[in-house]
Amino acid sequence: MKLVHWDPFQDFMTLGQRLGRDAVGWAPPVDIFEKQDQLVIRAEVPGIKKEDMDVRIENGVLTLHGERKHEADVAEGNAHLMERSYGSFTRSFSLPTTVDAAKIVATYKDGVLEVVVPKAEAAKSKRVQIQAA
């Protein structure tokens, strides 16, 4: 009988492949918060070129789409450990009806995609003058 070396960590490394993780894709982490009169969405997308990302708004839904491509100089058969996710991603968020979709601005710096969604004038807080009766 031949002895076979068993490496339990190798099982964990290939678990994602056996479960079809690569087919599912990945999703970048996102922060969403309010800042003054705007809604800010920040997504961590390091290693993705600006040209490989797309930001769209349709029917009150903001969609972030992009793709992290495999690096050409690393052959999969030569890799010892591949923890970074590759392939395309899509994240969609329903926006409140109180935003001004025509004034949305997206910027990309240091691996962070930031989308600023201004609130519509009707949604901003206004002071009402109280009159004597």
Side-chain angles (χ1 to χ4, degrees):
M1 181 162 103
K2 181 179 177 184
L3 291 177
V4 177
H5 177 71
W6 177 62
D7 181 4
F9 296 107
Q10 184 62 32
D11 289 342
F12 285 115
M13 305 293 257
T14 59
L15 181 63
Q17 294 170 345
R18 285 187 284 159
L19 293 176
R21 186 191 73 182
D22 295 337
V24 174
W26 66 284
V30 174
D31 293 337
I32 301 175
F33 57 93
E34 285 190 54
K35 184 177 174 183
Q36 298 155 347
D37 293 331
Q38 57 196 13
L39 191 63
V40 179
I41 297 124
R42 287 186 184 148
E44 287 185 11
V45 287
I48 300 178
K49 295 179 183 175
K50 183 179 82 164
E51 300 79 31
D52 292 333
M53 291 186 286
D54 185 44
V55 178
R56 294 182 185 264
I57 183 161
E58 186 176 347
N59 298 325
V61 176
L62 177 74
T63 302
L64 310 177
H65 178 78
E67 181 179 5
R68 181 180 293 139
K69 298 178 180 175
H70 281 277
E71 296 172 22
D73 62 340
V74 179
E76 193 169 319
N78 295 335
H80 295 279
L81 179 63
M82 300 288 284
E83 292 184 338
R84 296 174 48 200
S85 297
Y86 293 92
S88 63
F89 71 86
T90 301
R91 298 286 311 260
S92 296
F93 307 96
S94 295
L95 296 175
T97 57
T98 57
V99 299
D100 191 348
K103 295 182 180 176
I104 293 176
V105 175
T107 57
Y108 183 56
K109 181 181 176 186
D110 297 332
V112 176
L113 174 66
E114 180 176 275
V115 181
V116 177
V117 183
K119 292 181 182 177
E121 285 295 322
K124 294 179 182 176
S125 176
K126 295 178 185 169
R127 184 176 176 125
V128 177
Q129 183 69 30
I130 302 173
Q131 299 183 4

